[in-house]
Amino acid sequence: MLEILYQDEWLVAVNKPAGWLVHRSWLDRHEKVFVMQTVRDQIGQHVFTVHRLDRPTSGVLLMGLSSEVGRLLSQQFEQHQVQKTYHAVLRGWLESSGTLDYPLMEERDKIADKFASETRIAQPALTDYQALAKVEMPVPVGRYPTSRYSLIELSPKTGRKHQLRRHMSHLRHPMIGDSTHGDLKQNRGAAQHFGANRLMLHASSLSLTHPVTGESLLIRAGLDSVWQNLMNQFGWQDLIPDVPRVEFVPEPSQDNRSE
């Protein structure tokens, strides 16, 4: 059973577990567990994907309950009208905050993109980031006698493949558990000493306009046990508060609106 964060007659949102594929793919023909099919069986009706989360990423995944609502939601994502907030644990101390404007070359899959044109250009990629906390643990990893980690909040303004992972790697602070763009020694150390045996990237919330009612909707997803355990060990347990999963954000009153 998946945790349903929000459901009405038009859409449903779940807390996607790390390691789950969103839907069937011929690239993973031997996989038997998928979010879409599980949600369909759980609620007893078809669902339509409107965005994606990479397999190792956990957090808010939104789906439409009809093709029309799915289309309307997809348009919001495509037009960058959805505010996405992620949290991640990084290698080292990242103490600054800002917007990273760093174009990314298109990433291609060796199998799926086997016959794609060799011509690739760098695509614009923007990510807002905010450092929340840092910690130094008395555990040697690699050539260092201690290990340092940072907790960061991220908000992508574009949707390039692996954008958040690649942007943090560009800042020389790769995400813990990132097997593609990360630090293998740090990944092994974090898994061995702190139980962080997965990509430490969580889609914490989505803020959007309900495609039917027009209400402002904020959907949040809580942290899984791996995240909670790491947050407790690092003393960060109060930095991402346990908030209501769904909020309807009221429109500002006439008196409070800016002139």
Side-chain angles (χ1 to χ4, degrees):
M1 296 283 286
L2 291 176
E3 180 187 11
I4 294 179
L5 304 173
Y6 177 76
Q7 182 182 358
D8 60 24
E9 58 185 294
W10 301 289
L11 53 88
V12 62
V14 300
N15 193 352
K16 174 191 169 300
W20 283 48
L21 289 169
V22 173
H23 50 69
R24 294 183 185 275
S25 169
W26 64 272
L27 296 174
D28 295 276
R29 289 171 294 184
H30 303 295
E31 190 62 50
K32 297 181 179 180
V33 179
F34 309 92
V35 175
M36 280 188 66
Q37 284 73 21
T38 301
V39 175
R40 178 199 63 194
D41 295 343
Q42 192 168 326
I43 68 176
Q45 62 185 111
H46 287 288
V47 295
F48 299 80
T49 55
V50 298
H51 69 121
R52 65 188 297 271
L53 291 177
D54 291 335
R55 183 174 187 166
T57 305
S58 58
V60 182
L61 184 70
L62 183 65
M63 291 162 279
L65 295 180
S66 70
S67 59
E68 175 61 16
V69 170
R71 183 184 66 82
L72 294 173
L73 287 170
S74 293
Q75 286 180 347
Q76 288 194 46
F77 281 92
E78 292 166 1
Q79 297 169 7
H80 307 297
Q81 297 172 344
V82 178
Q83 175 70 32
K84 296 177 281 187
T85 301
Y86 292 76
H87 288 92
V89 178
L90 312 180
R91 180 194 73 184
W93 285 358
L94 179 61
E95 302 178 82
S96 61
S97 300
T99 298
L100 179 58
D101 183 354
Y102 180 69
L104 297 170
M105 295 294 291
E106 180 186 3
E107 272 198 349
R108 293 178 177 173
D109 185 272
K110 291 182 180 179
I111 300 177
D113 300 315
K114 182 178 180 180
F115 300 106
S117 170
E118 291 297 324
T119 303
R120 292 188 294 172
I121 60 173
Q123 301 170 310
L126 291 170
T127 300
D128 289 344
Y129 63 97
Q130 180 179 358
L132 300 179
K134 62 182 182 179
V135 70
E136 184 168 11
M137 302 298 289
V139 174
V141 176
R143 66 180 186 272
Y144 300 105
T146 61
S147 51
R148 292 180 171 184
Y149 303 96
S150 296
L151 176 66
I152 191 168
E153 184 174 287
L154 298 159
S155 181
K157 302 305 178 186
T158 51
R160 308 307 174 197
K161 186 175 181 180
H162 297 167
Q163 176 176 316
L164 299 180
R165 293 195 242 172
R166 296 169 72 188
H167 268 180
M168 293 304 99
S169 181
H170 173 70
L171 293 178
R172 303 293 187 267
H173 293 285
M175 292 183 190
I176 297 301
D178 185 351
S179 59
T180 305
H181 308 283
D183 183 322
L184 180 59
K185 289 183 179 179
Q186 289 288 340
N187 293 345
R188 288 174 174 170
Q192 177 183 353
H193 299 290
F194 309 113
N197 56 359
R198 48 157 290 199
L199 176 67
M200 298 307 295
L201 177 63
H202 180 70
S204 303
S205 70
L206 288 179
S207 179
L208 66 150
T209 300
H210 195 291
V212 178
T213 68
E215 294 177 285
S216 296
L217 181 63
L218 176 63
I219 305 174
R220 302 177 190 263
L223 302 175
D224 62 22
S225 59
V226 173
W227 263 94
Q228 292 177 20
N229 181 52
L230 192 71
M231 297 286 280
N232 288 334
Q233 291 181 81
F234 289 177
W236 295 344
Q237 59 269 27
D238 297 324
L239 294 179
I240 304 179
D242 184 15
V243 295
R245 296 193 180 102
V246 178
E247 299 176 23
F248 287 99
V249 183
E251 295 293 333
S253 64
Q254 189 68 39
D255 293 338
N256 293 334
R257 289 175 182 163
S258 299
E259 295 295 328

